[in-house]
Structures are given as structure tokens and as C-alpha cells.
Amino acid sequence: MHHLHTIQLTAYRLPDQTAQTLYLNYEIFGQPLHQAPVILVNHALTGNSTVTGEQGWWNQVIGYDQVIDLNRYTVLAFNIPGNGYGNKPEQLLLNYTAFTTAVIADVFWKGLDFLRVPQLYAIIGGSLGGSIAWEMALQRPEAIHHLIPIATNVQASDWLIGQVVVQEAILNHSKHPLEDARKHAMLLYRTPESINQKFTREQQSMDQIHPVEQWLTYHGHALQKRFQLAAYQLMNHLLQTIGKALTEEQVKQFALTTTTQITMITVDSDGMFTQKEQRETYCKLYAYGADIQYKEIQSIHGHDAFLIEYQQLQTLLQPLF
Ligand SMILES: CC(=O)SCCNC(=O)CCNC(=O)[C@H](O)C(C)(C)COP(=O)(O)OP(=O)(O)OC[C@H]1O[C@@H](n2cnc3c(N)ncnc32)[C@H](O)[C@@H]1OP(=O)(O)O
Ligand SMILES: N[C@@H](CCO)C(=O)O
């Protein structure tokens, strides 16, 4: 693990604005803070602040001489408080339903204020991280040069909220909550086409466990080994809070006033944040006058394509960095 720093701060939970102490863990990569433009990278549902290096989950995008070049930028990545990253039990949020993506966005801004970073060259994030990026832009429409939300949206759809409800039921009732929840969720992150082409008929036999079951079990075990139940419950819950209080008027005002250049990156086969809903967000913001572009990763793999289709991602990001 790269060096993990911690900021202690106060968050104001919605809707009653109750104050609560939170620990914001973060890592910094590349150029020292205040000596280069800062890029904030928001991790996805089960990600963390280790974006590059030996354990880095985005090594093909962030690194020395990569598209986000650490020779030129300071890359900062926060852990969503309560994601369990940092191994301090007191940092888990047991009252997780009191939190929303808007509260986490506010906490991230508080962290940036603490670090004296009033302006960001870019915020980039996939899935849940991308939705927190949207919330951050809505909260400070003039503080970000490039906003790059990937495979995400400004508001949770009913479809997504339904998935969250099923995940929660599994977490509350299964004997193997994390493992079973991950098995269910993996199907949402992929597509029938992606799963069906993964395994050959030759791999299957009557007396063996089906390869897709082995694969789901593999991913279930992997999550169970690296995640704590309370942490995953929070992450899952946050998905249904995306854009919870967002009104049409706020979207309009944001589009009219923001100085941010927005580049939405979508996946054509995304079944979690569908391309149709992302396209609607783009059309609305464009119509209201935002400086916004719509880009697309073409993939059979669905939502998780932002963790698979690196070449396409590099090509789409290159002009911005
Ligand atoms: C953006 C962020 O914040 S990161 C978010 C957190 N990180 C993640 O979600 C990553 C978890 N990993 C994954 O979901 C995937 O591995 C991805 C998206 C990185 C890559 O997807 P794919 O290329 O389709 O790989 P796939 O899902 O098949 O996983 C490969 C693994 O499955 C294993 N596997 C494949 N088939 C089987 C099978 N039949 N039985 C058992 N294991 C199998 C492989 O051995 C491989 O293991 P390894 O990763 O330990 O080398
Ligand atoms: N593979 C992603 C899916 C949610 O974006 C994760 O585990 O975070």
C-alpha cells in the first residue's frame, strides 16, 4: 500500500444536518501537492484510494507516462469514509443509512479545503465514484476544470434502486452475505453476451460445477476477503441516494452557471447506468447550455467495461490530459 493519510472532519448528515465525526483516508501520487495541477480520482463501489502502483486498480490509466501522467499531475484519491480501507474498526459507519452521495461529496470538498486545494484540474470517477463527482460539481460549479463521470449518472434510476434493495435483502438474510451479494451483482455489472462468451461448452460436464458458478464463487470469495459487511452495506446504500434531492431547476442552474467542461464517458452495453438514461442527462445539460461532451466505450462487457476496455478509455481521455 502507498502511504495512507487521514483527515478527521465533521460531516453533516442529511436530512437533519446532524454532525458526525468522520475519518477521510486518502493517498497522493505523482507530483507533490501544490506543485502541479490536481486530479481527484473517485473510486467505484468496491474500489479504494490505491489508484496506481503495485496494488493499483487503474494502472493502465494512471501512472508515469500513462494517459494521466504522474510526471505532470498530482493525483489525489480519497476513500469513501466507512469503506473499511485503512483497517480501523472505529472508522466503519454503522449508521450508514444516514449518508448520501451528496454528503460524501461535501466531505470530499471539506478534505480538499483542509488540503488547501480550492481548484481541481479534473475529477474523474467510475460508477459510484462518478456519481460523487457529479455531486461535487453540482455543489461547486466553478471549482473544477474537467469533470469526467464514467458509467454513471446524476440520479439513481428506479432500476438501480431496485438492484440496491435486492442486494440489501441478500446482505440481511444470507448466511454468506458478501459472497452472495457479489454473485448477484456481478451479473448486473456484465451482460448476457459477455458471460455467454466467457465459458466454452467443453468446460462443462454433468458431474462438475458449472464454470459460471465457479466464476461467480471466485468473485464472491474475492469480495468477502477484501471487504467488511458494514462497509459494503454503506457502499450499496449510497447507490440509491445518488441525486436524491436534485431538482430540475438545480440541473438547469448548474448548466447555466458552471465553468466546468464535462466529458461523460458511457458504456454502450451498461445495464447498471443505462446508456439511454445517460444520454438523457447529456441532452438535458446540453440544451440548458452546459459545455458538455458525450463519449462512448463500445463493449460487450457492460458496466464493468470501464475496468476492462483500457485502450478505448485511454483514447477517450488522451485529449483531456
Ligand atoms: C474503479 C474501481 O474503483 S475498482 C473497483 C474494485 N475492483 C473490482 O471490482 C475488480 C474486481 N475484478 C473484476 O471485476 C474483474 O476481474 C475485472 C473487471 C478487473 C476484469 O474483468 P475480466 O477481464 O472479465 O476478468 P474476470 O471477471 O473473468 O476475472 C478474472 C479472474 O477470474 C478468474 N476466473 C475466470 N474464470 C474462472 C472460473 N471458471 N472459475 C474460477 N475463477 C475464474 C480468473 O482466474 C481471474 O483471476 P485473477 O483476477 O485472480 O487473475
Ligand atoms: N466492479 C465495480 C462495480 C461497480 O461499479 C466495483 O466492484 O466497484
Side-chain angles (χ1 to χ4, degrees):
M1 191 200 299
H2 200 257
H3 194 261
L4 197 67
H5 309 269
T6 303
I7 305 169
Q8 185 178 329
L9 44 74
T10 304
Y12 294 92
R13 297 171 346 216
L14 298 177
D16 57 357
Q17 299 291 316
T18 311
Q20 179 167 341
T21 300
L22 290 187
Y23 299 91
L24 185 59
N25 295 325
Y26 67 96
E27 292 179 67
I28 291 180
F29 304 89
Q31 301 308 300
L33 212 48
H34 309 300
Q35 290 180 29
V38 177
I39 298 168
L40 180 70
V41 182
N42 288 352
H43 65 77
L45 193 78
T46 67
N48 57 50
S49 60
T50 306
V51 297
T52 187
E54 223 169 285
Q55 307 285 320
W57 53 261
W58 239 13
N59 282 328
Q60 287 91 333
V61 176
I62 301 166
Y64 289 96
D65 303 322
Q66 290 287 3
V67 62
I68 296 181
D69 187 353
L70 295 180
N71 293 299
R72 299 180 53 212
Y73 297 105
T74 303
V75 168
L76 177 63
F78 293 122
N79 285 289
I80 294 176
N83 77 341
Y85 195 69
N87 286 328
K88 291 186 183 152
E90 72 274 17
Q91 293 183 4
L92 291 172
L93 302 179
L94 300 177
N95 60 339
Y96 67 91
T97 54
F99 291 87
T100 64
T101 48
V103 172
I104 302 300
D106 179 55
V107 167
F108 281 13
W109 277 126
K110 286 194 167 79
L112 289 162
D113 291 343
F114 177 89
L115 296 170
R116 292 181 292 106
V117 180
Q119 293 284 323
L120 290 163
Y121 177 74
I123 304 187
I124 182 166
S127 193
L128 178 63
S131 69
I132 294 168
W134 272 120
E135 303 266 21
M136 290 181 76
L138 285 153
Q139 289 174 6
R140 297 197 191 175
E142 294 177 5
I144 310 158
H145 186 47
H146 286 291
L147 175 70
I148 310 159
I150 306 172
T152 191
N153 204 1
V154 287
Q155 204 149 41
S157 65
D158 292 323
W159 167 249
L160 178 59
I161 294 169
Q163 300 291 335
V164 169
V165 169
V166 175
Q167 285 280 292
E168 189 140 313
I170 298 171
L171 294 171
N172 288 337
H173 300 296
S174 168
K175 284 190 194 142
H176 308 285
L178 281 168
E179 201 178 311
D180 288 343
R182 186 65 163 181
K183 284 180 180 172
H184 166 256
M186 286 308 293
L187 299 177
L188 176 67
Y189 306 151
R190 306 298 169 97
T191 63
E193 197 185 355
S194 171
I195 302 269
N196 289 339
Q197 61 89 59
K198 218 172 190 39
F199 312 105
T200 61
R201 287 286 144 185
E202 290 74 54
Q203 286 173 271
Q204 300 173 23
S205 117
M206 292 297 281
D207 57 358
Q208 278 183 347
I209 302 171
H210 198 288
V212 70
E213 185 176 350
Q214 291 172 354
W215 179 79
L216 290 170
T217 301
Y218 171 87
H219 278 294
H221 279 156
L223 187 74
Q224 192 250 319
K225 274 194 271 169
R226 70 185 175 90
F227 238 79
Q228 298 176 65
L229 181 58
Y232 186 77
Q233 281 174 315
L234 167 68
M235 297 304 129
N236 179 56
H237 162 77
L238 287 176
L239 285 173
Q240 66 171 311
T241 70
I242 298 168
K244 196 172 179 179
L246 192 62
T247 65
E248 193 63 28
E249 187 54 29
Q250 282 171 317
V251 173
K252 185 175 177 180
Q253 283 311 313
F254 169 70
L256 287 170
T257 57
T258 188
T259 54
T260 301
Q261 292 176 28
I262 307 166
T263 305
M264 292 177 66
I265 299 184
T266 66
V267 179
D268 61 352
S269 56
D270 195 334
M272 185 171 175
F273 295 92
T274 64
Q275 201 192 29
K276 184 168 182 287
E277 72 188 89
Q278 295 185 65
R279 185 92 201 159
E280 280 166 11
T281 297
Y282 163 77
C283 290
K284 193 186 292 179
L285 285 166
Y286 181 80
Y288 286 144
D291 180 349
I292 186 163
Q293 292 189 68
Y294 182 92
K295 310 261 185 194
E296 185 181 281
I297 294 171
Q298 292 175 347
S299 174
I300 64 159
H301 296 302
H303 177 74
D304 263 350
F306 78 97
L307 296 165
I308 298 171
E309 307 283 4
Y310 285 116
Q311 272 185 338
Q312 290 190 58
L313 204 48
Q314 286 160 355
T315 306
L316 295 176
L317 293 175
Q318 193 69 61
L320 307 176
F321 297 99

